[in-house]
Amino acid sequence: MTLNATLDLHTDPSFFQGKDVYAVAGNPISHSKSPTIHQAFAEQAQQAMHYGRMQPQLDGFTKAAKSFFAAGGKGMNVTVPFKLDAKTFSDQLTDRARLAGAVNTLWIQDGKIYGDNTDGAGLVRDLLAQGIDIHAARILLLGAGGAARGVIGPLLELSPKCLVIANRSTAKADELVKLFADLAARKQVALESRTLADLENSQKTSHSFDLVINATAAGLTDDSPLSEAAVMQVFKPGSFAYDMVYGKNTAFMNQALQHGARISDGLGMLVEQAADAFLIWRGAELATEINPRAVLAKLRSS
Ligand code: ATR
């Protein structure tokens, strides 16, 4: 038994004989809840697997992933800042990973590395579990970076009435509208872009939204992407405000609460994207064996 030089004790498959080994890669990664979530699924579905954390150097993802799979690793989850590296690393992408432009789930099959993106499906499943009706809803998506791009496809698939993408500057939001125009047309969704400043203007934002999703990085810095004037336009009593960040009530969530909206953080999305990855790796037939909402409830109470 030798320790692979680029892997550590948590992810070297040679230390976990008799178990299939998986890992989450990110930098930083010590805060990650993914090992807890996947070990819970493994227990529920009685799977002999180990799931560890891996923190490659910022320029070292490819080397770490190569070593992991060469040593017998079965699959990886990938988080900030490596989702684009993971896309490049994949030999074969699923359609939704191609549309998302990023990969959060890798696995090896017949010597080939496959890349998928389960983030958008995770968000949609969490919204549905919270009773949010996406079909025919008016949706506002804040942000036009990787996090926003990852969820647009799965949201459009459920045919909301409209999806407005708002960003500080329009160029990135316009690009996303172009990229998803065909899918939006097929699903008969009005897909539009705005600047965040447009949201303050009742001529440019003529109605409020049923669902407002914060996919900006603002939540990480206690900032909200919405000004007070914008908040007045976009929320109504009964709106649902969803922040992809988890672990605290963000400034965005607090604004929404003050305007009569219901709120959610992104912990459910984290659990649901993990469930999707687990089923890709271990078999879709295990869907009835795992209980993501019970795992979520346990995380919330711990
Ligand atoms: P990620 O992959 O997490 O989406 P990203 O690609 O860097 O990260 O995108 C971050 C998003 O958050 C962008 O839409 C960014 O807006 P800009 O394109 O204008 O930079 C948005 N963002 C970051 N900080 C923000 C803030 N304080 N207020 C509003 N938007 C912010």
Side-chain angles (χ1 to χ4, degrees):
M1 185 156 61
T2 53
L3 180 63
N4 188 310
T6 55
L7 299 172
D8 67 18
L9 285 171
H10 303 290
T11 52
D12 187 336
S14 63
F15 279 86
F16 301 96
Q17 301 291 340
K19 287 187 175 178
D20 288 343
V21 176
Y22 298 85
V24 59
N27 189 339
I29 200 61
S30 60
H31 66 285
S32 174
K33 294 183 190 298
S34 291
T36 308
I37 295 169
H38 280 278
Q39 291 300 346
F41 291 151
E43 273 167 38
Q44 288 173 342
Q46 300 185 339
Q47 299 293 295
M49 58 184 269
H50 169 78
Y51 186 107
R53 290 184 182 83
M54 183 191 288
Q55 183 168 313
Q57 302 282 316
L58 290 176
D59 62 353
F61 175 80
T62 301
K63 192 170 162 213
K66 254 190 197 153
S67 301
F68 177 72
F69 283 112
K74 299 288 184 198
M76 288 173 74
N77 282 138
V78 183
T79 186
V80 180
F82 297 127
K83 290 185 186 182
L84 292 181
D85 293 311
K87 181 179 148 222
T88 310
F89 182 68
S90 305
D91 298 315
Q92 184 91 39
L93 294 174
T94 61
D95 288 345
R96 63 184 181 180
R98 203 170 296 115
L99 257 185
V103 160
N104 79 336
T105 303
L106 292 167
W107 69 97
I108 189 163
Q109 202 177 313
D110 302 326
K112 245 176 148 180
I113 302 290
Y114 288 78
D116 197 357
N117 191 312
T118 66
D119 286 331
L123 169 69
V124 163
R125 275 218 303 274
D126 188 35
L127 288 169
L128 296 177
Q130 297 196 59
I132 304 306
D133 191 8
I134 296 170
H135 175 73
R138 294 178 197 266
I139 303 178
L140 173 62
L141 180 62
L142 302 170
R149 181 171 167 178
V151 301
I152 294 172
L155 287 171
L156 290 176
E157 289 289 347
L158 293 182
S159 294
K161 187 180 179 75
C162 71
L163 177 59
V164 173
I165 304 170
N167 200 42
R168 285 190 291 210
S169 55
T170 37
K172 270 157 71 181
D174 288 343
E175 240 172 71
L176 291 182
V177 166
K178 240 190 247 161
L179 192 64
F180 287 91
D182 285 351
L183 178 58
R186 252 184 291 132
K187 296 291 171 182
Q188 298 181 307
V189 185
L191 179 63
E192 297 166 11
S193 63
R194 298 276 192 287
T195 62
L196 291 176
D198 288 343
L199 300 177
E200 300 173 0
N201 181 334
S202 60
Q203 315 242 276
K204 292 188 170 158
T205 308
S206 55
H207 55 74
S208 53
F209 293 87
D210 303 304
L211 172 60
V212 183
I213 300 167
N214 184 16
T216 71
L220 300 172
T221 56
D222 261 349
D223 215 3
S224 170
L226 294 178
S227 66
E228 272 307 309
V231 164
M232 308 288 280
Q233 296 288 331
V234 306
F235 290 121
K236 58 176 183 199
S239 295
F240 194 74
Y242 192 100
D243 204 316
M244 288 193 193
V245 169
Y246 58 84
K248 61 176 180 185
N249 270 17
T250 61
F252 163 79
M253 288 159 75
N254 288 331
Q255 283 175 324
L257 268 182
Q258 281 159 14
H259 285 80
R262 286 197 294 145
I263 60 165
S264 173
D265 71 357
L267 191 58
M269 175 178 172
L270 179 77
V271 173
E272 296 287 359
Q273 63 76 31
D276 219 15
F278 183 87
L279 296 176
I280 289 168
W281 294 331
R282 307 302 297 182
E285 69 281 3
L286 295 180
T288 52
E289 306 290 318
I290 63 169
N291 185 344
R293 303 319 282 184
V295 174
L296 175 61
K298 200 156 174 216
L299 281 180
R300 289 221 187 273
S301 68
S302 65

